[in-house]
Amino acid sequence: NTEQRIAIKGYLMRRISVMQGKTPQSYRILLTNLYEMFPETLNRAQLKRIKDYATIVLDFWQHEKFIKGYKLVKKKGKDHAIDIDP
């Protein structure tokens, strides 16, 4: 685990926990919000690595029944957001 990976897991955990709470919350996580956590990562390969790791974490959480599922949302042919099914 690197600091970057811990930060990604923490962000996803906080957002999903709020979604599962009583207060209404959007089930969409914008990828730009994930990318903004790491202003030093500006090249395409590093941004792809962040998105890929987020999907690995979500796959694991889906397998462990923490979430029901998720779906990548595209906008203009590019991945834009992640819709969570808590």
Side-chain angles (χ1 to χ4, degrees):
N1 279 336
T2 64
E3 287 183 35
Q4 186 179 50
R5 288 181 170 205
I6 292 169
I8 292 169
K9 284 190 279 191
Y11 177 77
L12 292 173
M13 178 71 74
R14 285 190 303 277
R15 286 296 311 273
I16 292 170
S17 294
V18 170
M19 290 175 194
Q20 293 173 340
K22 295 178 182 177
T23 307
Q25 177 74 22
S26 171
Y27 294 135
R28 181 166 285 184
I29 297 173
L30 297 177
L31 290 174
T32 55
N33 291 342
L34 270 176
Y35 301 152
E36 287 173 357
M37 292 172 49
F38 311 102
E40 70 279 359
T41 56
L42 297 176
N43 70 41
R44 182 174 281 162
Q46 291 170 324
L47 296 178
K48 182 180 180 332
R49 196 173 301 129
I50 291 170
K51 180 192 68 163
D52 290 345
Y53 185 69
T55 59
I56 288 169
V57 170
L58 293 171
D59 284 337
F60 178 74
W61 287 346
Q62 183 177 356
H63 179 265
E64 294 294 314
K65 309 262 189 278
F66 180 63
I67 61 172
K68 292 179 186 171
Y70 72 95
K71 183 175 93 171
L72 284 172
V73 178
K74 293 190 178 281
K75 184 175 183 180
K76 297 183 182 180
K78 295 182 180 182
D79 291 330
H80 171 68
I82 302 171
D83 282 347
I84 304 292
D85 184 10

